[in-house]
Amino acid sequence: MRAVRRLRLRRPRLRLPRTRAGWRQFVQVVAAGCVVALLPATWLWVSTADRLRTLQDAPRTDVAVVFGAGLWDGEPSPYLAHRLDAAATLYREGRVKVVLVTGDNSRKDYDEPDAMRVYLAKNGVPRARVVTDYAGFDTWDSCVRAKKIFGVDKAVLISQNFHIRRAVALCDAAGVDSYGVGVDESHNATWYYGGTREVLAAGKAALDLMFHPDPHFLGPKEKGITRALASGN
């Protein structure tokens, strides 16, 4: 019985190579793993290069899509506020007519889209020109719902630089002819976290592009974009 207990308490040991050949093989395996892990991110970087714009040269189109980026005490986080500021600028300059805000409202005490709409209204975008998607739980869901639920065929997408390429690639795959405006940010801890997270998220994006899964929620088509475009406000 004691022998069995001692056996159970033993922890597996990491055995490192003991020879030069072993170390060489170990390094090769690690390097190959890194290359494979970075392939999706590299592909996103290359494939979307001609789809990125600035606020100054963003194409004129009916719809801008702003992706949620978290709330602080019910208000848009700084990163989300910067995205919304960019959308408000495009609207005031007449480059877009409607802003589709897409985010998380999976529980009653957390409502990204309505907080985004309120923020835009305070910054010169009439409420009638803001359409809310309450089931944009991730980028793929937001893109698919923009196409299938809200009938968006072409849009300018707004997000931070580290995320915008993935957004453009996924929306294009979902059937939305997309151009991306990346919002500049200072390179603080949040920025580095977001950039690192994107390397991992690129893997999921590759799977979304391959298999085109349905979003968490679809539901009936909505006419919010059509009504907003027809609005005189």
Side-chain angles (χ1 to χ4, degrees):
M1 182 64 71
R2 291 179 181 177
V4 172
R5 288 179 179 175
R6 283 198 296 269
L7 181 61
R8 289 178 177 175
L9 292 174
R10 289 177 182 172
R11 296 179 181 178
R13 295 179 180 179
L14 177 61
R15 295 184 178 179
L16 296 176
R18 296 182 178 181
T19 64
R20 288 185 178 181
W23 273 107
R24 188 181 300 112
Q25 185 178 15
F26 176 77
V27 171
Q28 290 173 345
V29 170
V30 171
C34 291
V35 170
V36 171
L38 291 173
L39 278 177
T42 303
W43 175 80
L44 287 178
W45 187 272
V46 173
S47 66
T48 59
D50 63 341
R51 289 284 179 163
L52 301 187
R53 299 292 185 271
T54 65
L55 276 177
Q56 290 70 35
D57 64 4
R60 295 180 182 274
T61 188
D62 286 344
V63 182
V65 179
V66 182
F67 300 86
L71 302 178
W72 288 10
D73 296 325
E75 301 290 333
S77 67
Y79 271 34
L80 180 52
H82 296 163
R83 299 180 187 186
L84 296 168
D85 290 338
T89 297
L90 291 178
Y91 178 83
R92 291 193 299 266
E93 293 180 351
R95 291 182 177 274
V96 300
K97 300 176 182 178
V98 174
V99 181
L100 173 63
V101 293
T102 173
D104 188 351
N105 181 215
S106 57
R107 60 182 195 270
K108 292 182 179 180
D109 61 339
Y110 190 85
D111 189 344
E112 276 188 312
D114 277 344
M116 295 161 76
R117 170 184 271 178
V118 170
Y119 185 95
L120 286 170
K122 293 178 179 178
N123 286 273
V125 184
R127 287 176 176 265
R129 292 286 180 161
V130 181
V131 179
T132 49
D133 175 13
Y134 296 99
F137 299 133
D138 61 23
T139 305
W140 176 248
D141 282 15
S142 294
C143 291
V144 174
R145 287 178 55 80
K147 175 66 176 182
K148 293 186 176 182
I149 302 301
F150 295 94
V152 177
D153 296 316
K154 183 177 181 179
V156 170
L157 314 180
I158 302 175
S159 186
Q160 268 69 35
N161 282 323
F162 55 72
H163 171 246
I164 195 63
R165 294 174 184 272
R166 179 161 61 93
V168 169
L170 290 177
C171 279
D172 276 345
V176 180
D177 185 14
S178 304
Y179 288 87
V181 172
V183 179
D184 290 326
E185 298 287 351
S186 59
H187 290 193
N188 55 20
T190 303
W191 187 92
Y192 283 110
Y193 167 78
T196 302
R197 180 178 178 274
E198 279 303 306
V199 175
L200 302 176
K204 178 183 180 301
L207 295 176
D208 290 334
L209 291 170
M210 290 174 60
F211 298 107
H212 284 223
D214 287 332
H216 292 81
F217 295 102
L218 270 176
K221 293 184 177 181
E222 298 187 18
K223 298 181 179 180
I225 299 292
T226 302
R227 288 196 295 265
L229 288 172
S231 171
N233 296 324

